[in-house]
Amino acid sequence: RLFCSINITGQFVFSLCLECPPMGLETLKIDDFQLHASSTKRYGLGAHRGRLNIQAGLYEDDLYDGAWCAGRDDPLQWLEVDARRLTKFTGVVTQGRSSLWSSDWVTSYKVMVSNDSHTWTTLKNDSADLIFSANREKEIPVRNIFPLPVVARYIRVNPRSWFYGGSVCMRAEILGCPLPDPNNYYHRRNEVITTDDLDFRHHSYKEMRQLMKVVNEMCPNITRIYNIGKSQNGLKLYVIEISDNPGEHEVGEPEFRYTAGAHGNEVLGRELLLLLMQFMCLEYLSGNQRIRHLVEETRIHLLPSVNPDGYEKAFEAGSELSGWSLGRWTNDGIDIHHNFPDLNSILWEAEAKKWIPRKMFNHHIPTPEWYLSNNASVALETRALIAWMEKMPFVLGGNLQGGELVVTFPYDRTRSQGVTREQTPTPDDHVFRWLAFSYASTHRLMTDASRRVCHTEDFAKEDGTINGASWHTAAGSMNDFSYLHTNCFELSMYVGCDKFPHESELPEEWENNRESLLVFMEQVQSQFRLSDVQFAPRIPLIEPLNYTADGDYWRLLNPGEYRVTARAEGYSLTTKKCEVGYAIGATRCDFTIGRSNLFRIREIMEKYNKQPIRLPARQLQAQRPRERRVGT
């Protein structure tokens, strides 16, 4: 933070400097009790709701609405922020009310500052009060930088005009640099510092590619870069693989994936994966045994930017000005996360007709033909993801998203038609719940019951996890498709309230999520492994497992005892008990299965062109006593 020149006017200090970062209305660093207002229309429109990009619920109510709205529409209203310490204020970002039903936004405002909340000074342009132009509609943020930064403790935004026919409503962010104050306990208590020496900044597409190359050059023996396809604009979808034998599937080593950036404007997940690959490389080189075990026992794939076209749009606008949706979709307007084939409907229709398992199985459901046609509304990025998922035998995956603090798990679509929210569990609900809790419980904030709600849902009451369909129904989600088509267990991690946090927030967000990212990866080892080397590469129908062509089979399970049945065409069905323990590492359970009598008869008949086998008379006489003995 650079001070270039200083002027003293009365009790305030003005300085020219670089722009300061957001104080934290959007990221919730600023607590509710630090926000005040002249008046309030009702509780759900109180000062605590005047945060940039805060979202209203579908049904706006007394608790969760989409802005601060004054109780009276006149020029005497104000929204106040108490920084709780001397702060160098440099600017204000404003937005209108988030609402499906109302059109409310402020078109101009003044700014006032104070050191004691009693005596206020208005920012001026020469001798006249400075009037800032604000919003022209309710969603696109507008940033105003002060001609001269001002140092104070309190700041007020005083609306002077607003949209005709609307009300005095606004969402805001304040740009400010706290001044050094070692005696400020409140600030020190809330400060999070990381000791990891990583590249904490936002990366453009070219910078992301360069960073991945640097990691690959630092750790060439455990990393490999490859791409799975291209975006609509021709940008390659790069993946970095981390493994002790990059480029090779090893028998007994499960495949894991993290993806991020399906919504291009949800950039925190992208940066977390870039930080994760740096961290794992450095820690591996330093001899960290935990990281070495992960690398040696798991094949890890990190895809940091599923939608690079959308990211570039949001990145160009910047952290505070990209709003809530700019860059969310692909270049051709498709939401990638909900662009997969709806296999849920196919499964549930088959169940209703009692086709399972006689006519079809409830796993590895094929993609419908209509979806594969060139005329289907399927993004290039989605097609690339599906081809990747079908090529790699992934066992577990997580896709990082933003705008909330919660982990969601399948099913994402409600079974009942026309119902927007309904608990819709999979047959593996207990496993999914454990996987979701493993991430949420090790996150610094997700399960903290005292933390502030991001927008309208208090997920901390549910241990920071929720069944996707009981939050909001979504057909064709990546999670449901991954589970039903490839049997890879996929979950969504919403890693922060702010979709596009300022660079200054990245170290703290890394600390919030680092342990969770590692713990969730380790869950891929808490499973059942079946090895059938004798008959590899045959693929027995063991329902439902992830399998590879070399006879490696995987199934995620919670600790406990399970009855496992193995069967393959031409072999006798075999059932045995297999126990999954609490120790880290896959449980191996070996099967030896013999050829069935029916299969042997078919082989013999094919050998003799389906003609009766004529044995010599002596051989028949020798066999008859044996047959009688067996019969007795």
Side-chain angles (χ1 to χ4, degrees):
R1 291 158 186 172
L2 176 66
F3 290 84
C4 302
S5 64
I6 298 176
N7 296 312
I8 301 176
T9 303
Q11 59 178 324
F12 298 103
V13 180
F14 296 88
S15 61
L16 289 172
C17 67
L18 296 178
E19 180 186 322
C20 286
M23 290 181 59
L25 275 74
E26 183 176 8
T27 61
L28 308 181
K29 270 192 171 182
I30 297 296
D31 288 325
D32 285 352
F33 63 78
Q34 293 176 257
L35 299 173
H36 308 278
S38 52
S39 64
T40 297
K41 186 167 291 187
R42 53 185 169 82
Y43 178 79
L45 293 167
H48 65 291
R49 302 295 293 178
R51 301 172 180 272
L52 192 71
N53 285 320
I54 202 165
Q55 299 296 296
L58 181 61
Y59 307 105
E60 299 164 19
D61 54 33
D62 260 351
L63 291 178
Y64 304 113
D65 219 321
W68 159 67
C69 288
R72 300 183 302 277
D73 295 327
D74 62 51
L76 300 178
Q77 308 306 309
W78 44 261
L79 176 67
E80 177 186 310
V81 180
D82 176 6
R84 296 187 64 87
R85 63 186 297 177
L86 287 179
T87 300
K88 179 166 63 68
F89 299 115
T90 63
V92 173
V93 182
T94 58
Q95 207 175 23
R97 176 182 175 183
S98 169
S99 174
L100 295 174
W101 324 107
S102 305
S103 296
D104 304 308
W105 63 86
V106 170
T107 57
S108 68
Y109 60 87
K110 294 181 182 180
V111 174
M112 301 179 287
V113 292
S114 172
N115 281 335
D116 58 11
S117 77
H118 297 292
T119 303
W120 292 88
T121 299
T122 302
L123 269 60
K124 294 186 179 294
N125 183 11
D126 294 327
S127 59
D129 290 349
L130 187 57
I131 304 293
F132 294 95
S133 296
N135 304 86
R136 295 184 177 180
E137 58 90 70
K138 57 188 176 184
E139 286 299 335
I140 300 177
V142 173
R143 177 175 55 195
N144 282 296
I145 301 300
F146 304 158
L148 290 174
V150 58
V151 174
R153 171 175 168 173
Y154 302 90
I155 185 169
R156 282 181 179 178
V157 179
N158 168 217
R160 305 301 295 174
S161 62
W162 45 95
F163 174 63
Y164 179 78
S167 299
V168 176
C169 297
M170 68 168 13
R171 292 175 284 173
E173 180 61 86
I174 306 297
L175 307 181
C177 299
L179 298 186
D181 183 3
N183 297 319
N184 192 313
Y185 168 76
Y186 174 80
H187 178 72
R188 286 185 285 110
R189 180 173 59 89
N190 290 279
E191 195 171 21
V192 176
I193 300 174
T194 184
T195 58
D196 296 326
D197 185 17
L198 307 175
D199 188 12
F200 292 107
R201 62 190 177 93
H202 290 295
H203 297 80
S204 67
Y205 177 80
K206 290 183 179 179
E207 292 168 338
M208 176 194 75
R209 176 68 182 91
Q210 180 61 32
L211 179 60
M212 295 174 76
K213 184 179 179 181
V214 169
V215 172
N216 178 235
E217 291 172 349
M218 288 175 58
C219 295
N221 295 329
I222 62 166
T223 62
R224 176 179 72 103
I225 299 174
Y226 65 97
N227 77 81
I228 65 170
K230 293 184 178 180
S231 70
Q232 184 73 19
N233 282 347
L235 301 180
K236 292 181 180 179
L237 308 182
Y238 286 111
V239 180
I240 192 165
E241 175 191 339
I242 304 177
S243 170
D244 56 346
N245 286 293
E248 177 184 348
H249 173 80
E250 298 180 78
V251 174
E253 192 168 288
E255 307 266 353
F256 175 91
R257 71 168 179 259
Y258 269 134
T259 61
H263 298 146
N265 64 326
E266 295 171 9
V267 307
L268 178 54
R270 168 194 177 105
E271 296 305 327
L272 286 175
L273 292 192
L274 294 179
L275 292 168
L276 180 63
M277 62 182 70
Q278 297 173 65
F279 177 79
M280 294 192 70
C281 172
L282 293 172
E283 292 299 304
Y284 184 89
L285 294 176
S286 69
N288 184 319
Q289 289 303 307
R290 181 186 188 187
I291 300 303
R292 282 186 170 268
H293 182 268
L294 258 176
V295 172
E296 292 165 2
E297 300 297 328
T298 313
R299 192 180 179 201
I300 301 164
H301 305 257
L302 306 179
L303 171 54
S305 189
V306 174
N307 180 8
D309 297 349
Y311 173 81
E312 291 298 292
K313 292 179 182 177
F315 180 78
E316 184 178 357
S319 174
E320 285 71 63
L321 302 184
S322 59
W324 187 251
S325 59
L326 179 65
R328 175 184 176 91
W329 300 279
T330 63
N331 200 52
D332 48 353
I334 294 176
D335 185 333
I336 294 176
H337 188 66
H338 300 139
N339 189 221
F340 293 81
D342 177 14
L343 302 184
N344 303 62
S345 297
I346 296 174
L347 170 64
W348 294 335
E349 182 180 356
E351 288 178 347
K353 294 179 179 179
K354 301 187 184 305
W355 285 356
I356 295 175
R358 184 169 49 89
K359 289 188 176 182
M360 65 175 283
F361 294 109
N362 63 354
H363 57 93
H364 295 99
I365 300 172
T367 302
E369 291 185 8
W370 66 264
Y371 186 87
L372 300 174
S373 70
N374 292 330
N375 296 328
S377 297
V378 183
L380 290 178
E381 296 87 344
T382 311
R383 294 187 188 277
L385 281 172
I386 291 176
W388 184 47
M389 293 160 73
E390 291 175 338
K391 180 181 179 181
M392 299 286 186
F394 292 113
V395 177
L396 179 62
N399 56 84
L400 307 187
Q401 301 190 49
E404 262 299 348
L405 277 172
V406 68
V407 180
T408 70
F409 52 89
Y411 290 120
D412 286 335
R413 180 176 181 180
T414 57
R415 184 182 286 260
S416 303
Q417 293 186 357
V419 178
T420 58
R421 292 188 176 194
E422 179 184 63
Q423 188 79 16
T424 311
T426 68
D428 294 291
D429 189 59
H430 60 294
V431 180
F432 273 118
R433 289 182 180 276
W434 169 254
L435 292 170
F437 186 69
S438 72
Y439 193 98
S441 63
T442 48
H443 190 279
R444 285 188 63 251
L445 299 175
M446 277 190 189
T447 55
D448 183 0
S450 64
R451 74 170 176 86
R452 191 196 183 283
V453 171
C454 287
H455 300 283
T456 63
E457 303 277 352
D458 189 358
F459 294 113
K461 291 182 178 179
E462 304 295 330
D463 291 328
T465 70
I466 192 170
N467 170 252
S470 64
W471 183 14
H472 53 74
T473 186
S477 76
M478 180 176 175
N479 294 350
D480 288 2
F481 175 81
S482 176
Y483 176 66
L484 294 174
H485 184 65
T486 71
N487 204 47
C488 171
F489 287 45
E490 182 91 10
L491 295 85
S492 292
M493 293 78 177
Y494 292 78
V495 292
C497 299
D498 188 352
K499 290 185 177 184
F500 197 152
H502 191 271
E503 279 188 356
S504 61
E505 300 291 337
L506 292 179
E508 181 170 348
E509 292 294 358
W510 167 245
E511 288 295 317
N512 288 344
N513 287 276
R514 179 185 56 196
E515 182 64 15
S516 299
L517 291 166
L518 297 175
V519 167
F520 186 74
M521 279 195 290
E522 290 170 338
Q523 301 311 304
V524 78
Q525 295 289 342
S526 301
Q527 55 193 299
F528 158 75
R529 175 191 167 206
L530 179 147
S531 179
D532 183 12
V533 179
Q534 182 179 356
F535 296 112
R538 290 184 179 272
I539 301 176
L541 299 175
I542 303 172
E543 302 176 0
L545 290 179
N546 296 77
Y547 50 78
T548 62
D550 52 10
D552 208 15
Y553 315 104
W554 300 89
R555 184 69 164 86
L556 279 171
L557 293 169
N558 285 344
E561 189 176 84
Y562 297 89
R563 288 174 56 85
V564 182
T565 299
R567 59 178 180 268
E569 184 177 355
Y571 294 85
S572 300
L573 181 146
T574 303
T575 299
K576 66 187 297 185
K577 289 183 180 180
C578 299
E579 185 174 345
V580 177
Y582 288 89
I584 294 177
T587 298
R588 178 167 174 164
C589 193
D590 295 333
F591 283 69
T592 301
I593 55 179
R595 291 175 180 265
S596 66
N597 290 335
L598 180 60
F599 186 80
R600 289 175 179 172
I601 292 171
R602 287 176 179 171
E603 276 191 327
I604 294 171
M605 292 185 70
E606 289 177 2
K607 181 177 180 181
Y608 292 94
N609 296 320
K610 298 184 180 181
Q611 298 298 319
I613 302 172
R614 299 186 179 278
L615 298 176
R618 292 179 182 177
Q619 187 173 349
L620 286 171
Q621 290 177 356
Q623 284 187 355
R624 280 170 187 162
R626 290 197 199 101
E627 290 174 355
R628 280 195 290 270
R629 282 197 296 273
V630 171
T632 59

